[in-house]
Amino acid sequence: MSEKIWGGRFSEETNLDVEKFTSSLQDDIHLFKADILATKAHLHQLRDKAIVTHEEAENLEGVLDQLQKERDNGTFIPDDKLEDIHMNIEKYLTDKLGDTGKKIHTGRSRNDQVVTAFKLTILNRVDTVILLLKELLVSLINKAEQNKDVVMPGYTHLQKAQPIRASLYFLAYHEMFLRDLEKLKFFKKFLREVPLGAGALAGSPYGIDRFKIAEELNMRQPTANSLDSVADRDYVLDILYCLNSIMLHFSRLSEDMIIWTSEEFGFVKLSDAYTTGSSIMPQKKNPDVYELTRGKTGRVVGSLIGMITTLKSLPMGYNRDLQEDKHLFFEAVDTVEQVLRVNIGCLNTLEFNRELLSDKINKGYLLATDIADYLVLKGMPFREAHSVVGKIVRYCEDSHKDLVVLSYDEFRQFSDLFCDDILSKLNVFCSVDSRDSYGGTSLKSIETQIDNARLNMAENKGV
Ligand code: ARG
């Protein structure tokens, strides 16, 4: 007969390859702490319903505590042959307490047990991501504050468009990552529904009070349907989507930084501590952190696609395919945590090349729209103004001049509406400060955005 916990109906030992193939220990070892907590909550129900005596419950709880200590000091070595961490914990109880240990799995299945431990673990990891996101959001506000006086080209189609304050850029990312934070907080709602007591699929006898379990585990409520409890992995998808959103934002930011730190752009300097060199070219200082951030985005996208693919076409109920969920989640969350930590440091230490920017900002017709706006204020319809300025730009191109060096007489060749104040308008600070609509790039609008962002962070305490 098989020696497995479930070996009763088996007459042969499990094939060794199958044993390895079906084990999830490498991944669900990370559920250890959560499984001990959930096992205790389950145990308290067994005690309250007199399935185990008070003395047995105390013994079981004591052994669970002892096991946690052994895990903490590294003396507990789980056995791969036992399939997963849940079976390892049960085996430990049985080895220590014999028949009393054998009672722990009464009224519970690994199907509800695994989801419970997984949800608790995900919640924990999500909270770490939330705290790191908050740190990042503060860094972005600080960067916006420090660079209020830096004006840089804003781009559309990666072509120079209009001047913006560098703060506008950082505050744009603040908005993006703030939405990620809000999404994560929202999706905790579903994670906080606890399946324990759903059994294998049909619920459990013995009068287990699932509401008490939810309370003890600090969850919102028990899941409403026992079958959904064990079949559902939407909560993994939700969080994977949020993690993907974070990575997509980082990947786009990385792309900007990789371009901006190139000699051709030279807008930004990274600190030596956050760059690496080349083994052959002594002059190199490479933005590897940003390249790897962009590169690692693929893994996190892979986890989401992997999870969607795993769930697609699964019949209702628990299927072993679902065991794949943990690896996919941990791969994604480990990556995002690492990316957050290193990117916060990189962001905090990067600096703008102010001199170079103040020179570059006057090249590339960035003020063309401002000249059209000028003509509109003098009474010309915008579409006509657009066409007049188009001709001025063409003239500049043909005569190899920048807009900012044109003389009053040259402007007059294109329209009588130009007065001598046009020359004083050809200034990037005038341009940015004219864009004072709510959320715009004027100093006033930027300061409002910074104030609002700081206020929001102050109110957005906790996880
Ligand atoms: N390690 C498995 C998992 O994570 C345990 C569930 C096994 N359940 C079962 N009915 N065989 O999914």
Side-chain angles (χ1 to χ4, degrees):
M1 196 182 88
S2 163
E3 282 178 10
K4 293 272 188 266
I5 278 181
W6 38 253
R9 56 107 67 223
F10 289 78
S11 51
E12 271 180 77
E13 288 302 325
T14 317
N15 172 287
L16 287 182
D17 285 333
V18 171
E19 213 157 55
K20 277 202 189 114
F21 186 67
T22 53
S23 168
S24 55
L25 188 60
Q26 286 219 339
D27 297 308
D28 54 38
I29 184 75
H30 302 299
L31 308 188
F32 184 93
K33 205 173 191 149
D35 197 65
I36 297 278
L37 280 179
T39 300
K40 283 186 183 174
H42 177 67
L43 171 63
H44 297 152
Q45 282 306 301
L46 298 183
R47 179 199 58 203
D48 292 355
K49 304 300 165 207
I51 312 295
V52 298
T53 64
H54 279 261
E55 197 192 334
E56 284 173 326
E58 255 172 48
N59 290 340
L60 283 161
E61 193 143 358
V63 173
L64 285 169
D65 287 339
Q66 180 187 336
L67 176 56
Q68 179 67 61
K69 274 197 201 110
E70 287 184 24
R71 165 84 183 139
D72 292 343
N73 66 27
T75 48
F76 170 65
I77 312 290
D79 181 0
D80 213 23
K81 280 189 177 311
L82 294 174
E83 227 174 273
D84 58 29
I85 194 60
H86 316 286
M87 302 282 244
N88 268 279
I89 293 175
E90 186 181 337
K91 174 81 169 22
Y92 186 93
L93 291 174
T94 310
D95 286 351
K96 296 282 178 201
L97 294 171
D99 282 351
T100 306
K102 289 184 186 168
K103 292 186 181 177
I104 194 66
H105 210 54
T106 316
R108 132 185 128 166
S109 152
R110 260 186 305 158
N111 299 347
D112 59 344
Q113 183 185 1
V114 166
V115 177
T116 303
F118 195 24
K119 281 187 165 181
L120 288 170
T121 307
I122 297 177
L123 276 165
N124 198 283
R125 299 298 300 265
V126 164
D127 284 351
T128 305
V129 172
I130 286 178
L131 291 176
L132 285 166
L133 268 177
K134 287 189 172 179
E135 208 180 318
L136 171 72
L137 290 170
V138 170
S139 291
L140 285 164
I141 303 173
N142 291 341
K143 270 291 147 196
E145 183 92 59
Q146 289 157 17
N147 292 290
K148 279 194 294 197
D149 55 337
V150 175
V151 177
M152 61 179 288
Y155 291 85
T156 63
H157 313 268
L158 201 56
Q159 306 286 321
K160 282 185 177 176
Q162 291 178 339
I164 56 169
R165 289 185 187 274
S167 312
L168 190 72
Y169 177 85
F170 292 116
L171 291 166
Y173 272 107
H174 180 272
E175 289 303 305
M176 293 194 188
F177 287 113
L178 184 61
R179 286 195 292 272
D180 293 335
L181 175 74
E182 295 300 327
K183 277 182 269 196
L184 277 172
K185 282 165 72 175
F186 174 78
F187 282 123
K188 280 171 73 173
K189 176 180 171 179
F190 305 115
L191 284 168
R192 295 190 63 230
E193 291 180 1
V194 63
L196 202 58
L201 72 164
S204 66
Y206 308 108
I208 282 174
D209 185 341
R210 298 191 56 216
F211 287 87
K212 280 240 170 75
I213 291 182
E215 207 183 303
E216 181 170 342
L217 292 176
N218 188 29
M219 298 294 244
R220 214 163 48 84
Q221 61 190 43
T223 45
N225 174 288
S226 61
L227 189 51
D228 172 56
S229 302
V230 295
D232 169 43
R233 291 297 183 278
D234 292 352
Y235 58 93
V236 189
L237 280 183
D238 297 338
I239 302 303
L240 283 176
Y241 172 68
C242 296
L243 297 177
N244 268 269
S245 182
I246 295 172
M247 287 304 291
L248 290 187
H249 293 150
F250 269 128
S251 190
R252 292 180 68 178
L253 183 144
S254 298
E255 179 71 5
D256 286 331
M257 293 305 155
I258 291 163
I259 294 173
W260 292 357
T261 51
S262 69
E263 204 205 319
E264 287 72 8
F265 273 71
F267 294 179
V268 163
K269 287 177 289 195
L270 301 179
S271 107
D272 280 2
Y274 285 89
T275 44
T276 55
S278 155
S279 61
I280 174 170
M281 296 166 282
Q283 84 283 12
K284 297 276 277 183
K285 179 173 159 181
N286 296 325
D288 295 36
V289 166
Y290 288 120
E291 291 169 279
L292 280 168
T293 298
R294 190 177 56 184
K296 284 176 190 288
T297 303
R299 296 185 188 215
V300 182
V301 173
S303 281
L304 175 63
I305 302 298
M307 194 66 227
I308 291 173
T309 314
T310 304
L311 291 177
K312 178 192 166 295
S313 314
L314 277 193
M316 177 52 93
Y318 176 82
N319 299 273
R320 194 64 182 265
D321 319 41
L322 292 172
Q323 179 171 289
E324 291 293 306
D325 59 359
K326 279 155 234 82
H327 189 84
L328 296 169
F329 171 73
F330 288 126
E331 167 98 339
V333 78
D334 288 348
T335 306
V336 169
E337 255 186 57
Q338 223 190 4
V339 161
L340 271 160
R341 281 182 215 284
V342 74
N343 270 273
I344 291 168
C346 209
L347 174 71
N348 286 342
T349 50
L350 69 77
E351 271 174 36
F352 275 94
N353 204 337
R354 288 162 179 254
E355 248 171 68
L356 180 138
L357 268 172
S358 64
D359 184 41
K360 283 206 176 183
I361 194 72
N362 287 318
K363 305 207 166 70
Y365 317 118
L366 279 156
L367 297 177
T369 319
D370 298 84
I371 302 174
D373 290 334
Y374 172 94
L375 289 172
V376 166
L377 290 174
K378 299 280 180 191
M380 189 182 282
F382 178 76
R383 195 45 68 210
E384 196 183 327
H386 185 286
S387 160
V388 168
V389 181
K391 291 192 182 88
I392 298 176
V393 169
R394 181 69 180 269
Y395 167 80
C396 285
E397 267 180 358
D398 291 345
S399 50
H400 305 290
K401 286 182 174 175
D402 282 314
L403 277 173
V404 287
V405 302
L406 294 186
S407 66
Y408 171 60
D409 290 340
E410 283 172 305
F411 277 111
R412 293 285 293 184
Q413 286 170 28
F414 295 92
S415 167
D416 291 345
L417 290 177
F418 283 115
C419 304
D420 52 7
D421 61 345
I422 179 63
L423 299 185
S424 65
K425 298 277 184 226
L426 288 177
N427 173 305
V428 289
F429 283 94
C430 265
S431 165
V432 288
D433 284 335
S434 71
R435 303 190 188 281
D436 60 357
S437 54
Y438 181 76
T441 198
S442 74
L443 186 59
K444 199 168 137 274
S445 306
I446 292 289
E447 280 173 344
T448 307
Q449 289 177 63
I450 292 176
D451 287 349
N452 288 343
R454 286 215 193 279
L455 201 68
N456 180 43
M457 291 314 292
E459 284 167 0
N460 210 327
K461 290 261 179 270
V463 282

